[in-house]
Every structure is written in structure tokens, then in C-alpha cells.
């Protein structure tokens, strides 16, 4: 079975997420952007302000915080609410490529969700 991958969403004319996903590895795609159930609740801008970080460092930190939130290891004082249960993550995302706006080669919460859904 093909291993789910992370995809980058595009606003380019003619971009078709499902066609791109199927061409990559034969798997359907799910969008995990904000707003939406699967979007990272920790924004880069808010994280940059809160921790005094530049954009790149704030992206790393936002992804780290999301990973901690999803795995139940985040300081409760920082929690944006109850994270989705692992069973729900698996049921809804397993076997799908996950698409976000993050550029290839940069940290993205999609990587954490792929691992939790398929690991």
C-alpha cells in the first residue's frame, strides 16, 4: 500500500488537488487547512508574537505546539481546546494524502497527522 504524503495546495489556475494526489501515489487527498477541523490551531503570526520569533522559527514552533496538542503532551495552559482523539484521526485521515499551504521542505502539521493516522 502507498504511504500517504504531504501535498501543497495551490491557487494556480487548473490546480486539481485530487488529480495531483492520485498522480503522486494513487491515494485520495484531504484538505487540512484553516479554517477547518484539521487546520493547525497555532498560527505562525500568533506564535511569532507570543514567543518573539521570526517567521521561520515561528513556523517550527507552531508545528511543534500542534504536535504536542495532538499527542496530549501540550501544557494545558496553551491548549486551544480538546484535540481530536487518535481513533478519529485514524478514521478520517488514514490512507489519504494531506494537503496544506506549507511549502515543501518546511515544517507542517500534516506530517504529524500523517504519522498519527497511519503510523
Amino acid at each position: 500500500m502507498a504511504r500517504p504524503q504531504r501535498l501543497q495546495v495551490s491557487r494556480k489556475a487548473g490546480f486539481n488537488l485530487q488529480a495531483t494526489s492520485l498522480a503522486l501515489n494513487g491515494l485520495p487527498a484531504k484538505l487540512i487547512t484553516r479554517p477547518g477541523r484539521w487546520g493547525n490551531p497555532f498560527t505562525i503570526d500568533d506564535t511569532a508574537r507570543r514567543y518573539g520569533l521570526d517567521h521561520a522559527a515561528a513556523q517550527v514552533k507552531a508545528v511543534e505546539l500542534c504536535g504536542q496538542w495532538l499527542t496530549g503532551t501540550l501544557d494545558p495552559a496553551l491548549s486551544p481546546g480538546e484535540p481530536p482523539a487518535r481513533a478519529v484521526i485514524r478514521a478520517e485521515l488514514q490512507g489519504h494524502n494531506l494537503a496544506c499551504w506549507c511549502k515543501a521542505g518546511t515544517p507542517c502539521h500534516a506530517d504529524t497527522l500523517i504519522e498519527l493516522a497511519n503510523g
Side-chain angles (χ1 to χ4, degrees):
M1 180 177 177
R3 174 87 176 140
Q5 303 287 314
R6 173 177 135 195
L7 300 171
Q8 184 180 3
V9 180
S10 173
R11 288 188 178 98
K12 194 181 262 186
F15 175 76
N16 180 313
L17 177 60
Q18 294 305 324
T20 300
S21 183
L22 292 171
L24 174 68
N25 59 8
L27 296 175
K30 290 246 179 158
L31 202 57
I32 57 159
T33 57
R34 274 187 308 272
R37 177 175 197 172
W38 302 111
N40 185 344
F42 301 93
T43 69
I44 294 171
D45 290 342
D46 288 347
T47 302
R49 279 191 295 277
R50 171 177 256 177
Y51 296 97
L53 301 170
D54 65 24
H55 186 274
Q59 183 172 358
V60 170
K61 183 70 173 175
V63 170
E64 176 185 308
L65 290 168
C66 185
Q68 291 173 1
W69 177 67
L70 289 167
T71 59
T73 60
L74 181 69
D75 176 347
L78 300 175
S79 181
E82 193 68 30
R86 287 244 180 124
V88 172
I89 294 171
R90 282 191 191 103
E92 294 192 25
L93 302 179
Q94 186 175 45
H96 290 81
N97 293 320
L98 302 183
C100 188
W101 293 106
C102 296
K103 292 181 179 136
T106 64
C108 181
H109 75 296
D111 296 322
T112 302
L113 284 169
I114 287 169
E115 186 57 38
L116 290 173
N118 301 282

